[in-house]
Amino acid sequence: MPRSAPYLAVADVLRARILAGEWEIGARLPSRARLAEEYGVGRNVVQRAVDRLVVDGLLEGRAGSGTYVRSPRERLRLVRSRHRERAGGLPRRAHTRERGGADAWDAESLVRVPAPDGIAERLGIAPGDLCVTTRYEFLAGGQPVQLSESWEPLALTDGTAVVLPETGPLAGKGVVERMRSIGIVVESVVEVPRPARATRAQANLLGISPGDLVLHIERTMYDTDRRPVETADMVVPDRYREVVYEFGVDRPLPASTTPTEQG
């Protein structure tokens, strides 16, 4: 067994045994201790190998029960994209797909919620400043496929028709359009994806097991003054979705265009 990254060698052997049908779909794998003894490695090596196969979609962990061979499934694609179309070298349109292809969603908003320390830091406001927070559960074919919790400073939307994201004249239109309606132009979006394990509350909502692999995406939207106008935490279960980032590429101006024409 190679000395470098021995967990990869263990993962390869386990993968081959699974694909050969040694363990049927739904079968429980031997314990970590037994596999470690069989391959002459430490339990931590076996754990990393199993984690790798969970990510690959061959296995699934069930809290308090063990690790099982997962049935093949088609994962829906969640595209995170941001495109800029340019005319004369200037941004003309920016669009972010916030719904991720979901065909339905449930939402609940609360107004005048004090910002926790972490949220306040992301929004550039003081801890305890009032916010509007909205919790979403996105569905595809009736299956929960994503959770999201959004925070907006109440000072930006208080007294306007768009204070609540899912009611009013722009209900469901998204942050960009709602903010534009009150004179705030969203210019950039920053997303930080991190792998994580589902909490019990998240697992209950998503129909998965506590500890299952999820992707946690921390998103913050900024206006033209680089002021944060919204921040959100999105949770995407690995079992049901794969996340793909799509980036637009600025098209070069025609060779005949002069600096004067560029404006």
Side-chain angles (χ1 to χ4, degrees):
M1 190 173 295
R3 291 185 179 179
S4 60
Y7 79 94
L8 292 176
V10 174
D12 287 342
V13 173
L14 290 174
R15 181 183 293 106
R17 294 174 69 179
I18 292 169
L19 296 178
E22 183 171 340
W23 296 296
E24 296 180 353
I25 292 173
R28 183 176 182 269
L29 256 62
S31 67
R32 304 287 192 276
R34 181 176 170 183
L35 289 174
E37 182 179 358
E38 180 177 350
Y39 294 120
V41 296
R43 293 189 188 186
N44 62 321
V45 173
V46 173
Q47 182 64 58
R48 292 190 65 188
V50 168
D51 286 345
R52 176 63 177 262
L53 297 182
V54 168
V55 172
D56 290 346
L58 292 175
L59 299 175
E60 63 179 345
R62 300 177 188 174
S65 178
T67 304
Y68 294 78
V69 178
R70 173 181 286 177
S71 59
R73 86 288 190 195
E74 181 180 356
R75 296 163 74 208
L76 299 175
R77 174 165 289 195
L78 170 61
V79 179
R80 309 296 302 161
S81 69
R82 179 143 178 104
H83 289 287
R84 289 177 180 272
E85 292 184 354
R86 292 179 177 269
L90 295 175
R92 185 175 66 180
R93 179 176 67 86
H95 174 64
T96 300
R97 300 180 201 175
E98 296 180 52
R99 306 297 175 184
D103 52 36
W105 55 87
D106 293 326
E108 179 183 8
S109 293
L110 297 175
V111 183
R112 306 185 68 81
V113 180
D117 290 351
I119 295 298
E121 182 177 359
R122 285 157 56 176
L123 288 175
I125 59 179
D129 280 1
L130 299 181
C131 293
V132 176
T133 181
T134 305
R135 293 183 177 179
Y136 293 91
E137 180 180 342
F138 295 97
L139 309 171
Q143 169 68 52
V145 292
Q146 180 182 332
L147 304 175
S148 181
E149 184 174 68
S150 168
W151 293 78
E152 299 175 1
L154 182 59
L156 297 181
T157 58
D158 196 17
T160 72
V162 297
V163 65
L164 296 176
E166 300 300 324
T167 61
L170 294 180
K173 294 297 184 179
V175 177
V176 175
E177 290 193 36
R178 289 176 46 249
M179 291 297 172
R180 184 187 295 121
S181 73
I182 57 175
I184 299 172
V185 177
V186 176
E187 185 178 62
S188 61
V189 181
V190 175
E191 292 192 350
V192 182
R194 300 184 181 94
R197 297 289 179 179
T199 65
R200 184 168 298 278
Q202 292 167 349
N204 288 340
L205 290 171
L206 291 169
I208 59 178
S209 298
D212 275 5
L213 187 67
V214 297
L215 184 67
H216 172 234
I217 303 173
E218 177 186 302
R219 180 190 73 192
T220 304
M221 294 189 173
Y222 298 86
D223 68 6
T224 51
D225 294 324
R226 196 58 184 173
R227 174 182 57 173
V229 300
E230 187 261 7
T231 193
D233 291 292
M234 294 173 281
V235 177
V236 182
D238 177 76
R239 176 183 300 184
Y240 301 131
R241 309 198 91 172
E242 62 179 7
V243 178
V244 177
Y245 280 84
E246 179 183 1
F247 301 92
V249 177
D250 294 337
R251 294 188 293 268
L253 293 171
S256 60
T257 303
T258 66
T260 301
E261 292 171 333
Q262 294 180 29

